[in-house]
Amino acid sequence: AQRVTQPEKLLSVFKGAPVELKCNYSYSGSPELFWYVQYSRQRLQLLLRHISRESIKGFTADLNKGETSFHLKKPFAQEEDSAMYYCATLFGNEKLTFGTGTRLTIIP
Amino acid sequence: DTGVSQDPRHKITKRGQNVTFRCDPISEHNRLYWYRQTLGQGPEFLTYFQNEAQLEKSRLLSDRFSAERPKGSFSTLEIQRTEQGDSAMYLCASSSSAQNYGYTFGSGTRLTVV
């Protein structure tokens, strides 16, 4: 079964410092990986997907198949990045499986 | 089209009562998903539909839970004889099976069973 692990429940980073949110998945195959974000009082929304190799709001994520990881990174944290972040996998065009999430707090 | 809509936003009910939630997906999306989220957890899959067909149900979905999508558009999730453990945020999402652009989520229905 698919499993997504986000080892950090909470992460605090100073404004301007680099951010890395960890995500590991356990799956034999080629899943699609996503990062979703939930800002305070807002709905869950897609941040980025690995297949598009895009950078959204300065965030990037590289799929490392050898380490089965999909860590989310940003070189310089901003206060508006404070939110809940969820890593998710999708295999075979079926349902998304989410990690437990990491609450990121940017310290001014 | 304003995205995925869920109704109601909040529901407080007494233990043992039945509740029904509604989800209106994005009109061109043929897939519709129900998830449940409790404090400190990520969304957990409950069930999903492709058009009007219910293709998968999680083991989390006990016999007290039933979901329908009769015309392949909106969906309802009913919980019968609610229990305190049913208290959670119930999320609906939709997507297109033709594209893997991820899901679009609704704002959720927060259920509190007292």
Side-chain angles (χ1 to χ4, degrees):
Chain A
Q2 299 178 56
R3 182 172 291 175
V4 180
T5 303
Q6 293 181 253
E8 304 138 329
K9 277 195 172 295
L10 304 170
L11 182 64
S12 295
V13 173
F14 283 101
K15 178 181 172 182
V19 176
E20 182 177 70
L21 300 172
K22 292 185 168 53
C23 172
N24 289 89
Y25 64 93
S26 59
Y27 200 76
S28 56
S30 299
E32 281 212 54
L33 279 299
F34 301 81
W35 276 98
Y36 279 78
V37 62
Q38 190 166 26
Y39 300 103
S40 180
R41 300 178 189 277
Q42 294 187 27
R43 64 184 66 189
L44 199 58
Q45 56 186 285
L46 179 65
L47 180 62
L48 56 80
R49 48 195 294 255
H50 91 274
I51 201 167
S52 57
R53 296 183 173 277
E54 56 200 346
S55 172
I56 304 294
K57 299 184 180 182
F59 284 98
T60 58
D62 291 323
L63 177 60
N64 186 324
K65 290 187 177 180
E67 296 181 358
T68 58
S69 69
F70 188 57
H71 303 328
L72 184 68
K73 299 178 183 179
K74 184 170 182 176
F76 308 104
Q78 298 172 289
E79 287 185 62
E80 55 264 33
D81 295 330
S82 292
M84 197 74 188
Y85 291 81
Y86 295 96
C87 182
T89 67
L90 180 69
F91 181 76
N93 202 23
E94 295 193 3
K95 61 184 184 296
L96 276 176
T97 299
F98 288 87
T100 51
T102 298
R103 180 170 297 283
L104 175 65
T105 301
I106 305 303
I107 305 165
Chain B
D1 194 342
T2 55
V4 178
S5 300
Q6 291 189 247
D7 183 70
R9 292 291 300 272
H10 304 275
K11 178 71 176 178
I12 300 174
T13 190
K14 290 185 177 179
R15 189 174 52 187
Q17 297 294 305
N18 299 344
V19 294
T20 300
F21 311 141
R22 177 179 170 125
C23 172
D24 287 88
I26 291 174
S27 55
E28 54 265 32
H29 284 177
N30 61 338
R31 286 194 169 181
L32 186 149
Y33 307 81
W34 285 99
Y35 280 78
R36 181 171 67 188
Q37 188 173 23
T38 54
L39 204 61
Q41 299 296 318
E44 296 173 300
F45 170 78
L46 293 178
T47 187
Y48 88 94
F49 294 83
Q50 180 157 310
N51 301 313
E52 64 275 5
Q54 190 172 18
L55 296 188
E56 187 175 344
K57 291 170 60 173
S58 164
R59 293 176 207 173
L60 292 175
L61 218 63
S62 76
D63 292 344
R64 297 183 297 105
F65 287 70
S66 61
E68 293 182 345
R69 195 183 183 198
K71 297 181 181 178
S73 56
F74 74 92
S75 175
T76 57
L77 177 68
E78 181 183 16
I79 309 174
Q80 296 182 324
R81 305 181 303 281
T82 51
E83 301 173 356
Q84 286 191 321
D86 297 332
S87 295
M89 177 72 86
Y90 289 84
L91 298 171
C92 178
S94 68
S95 73
S96 168
S97 60
Q99 301 162 334
N100 268 346
Y101 290 156
Y103 299 176
T104 301
F105 279 86
S107 298
T109 294
R110 182 169 293 285
L111 173 67
T112 303
V113 182
V114 298

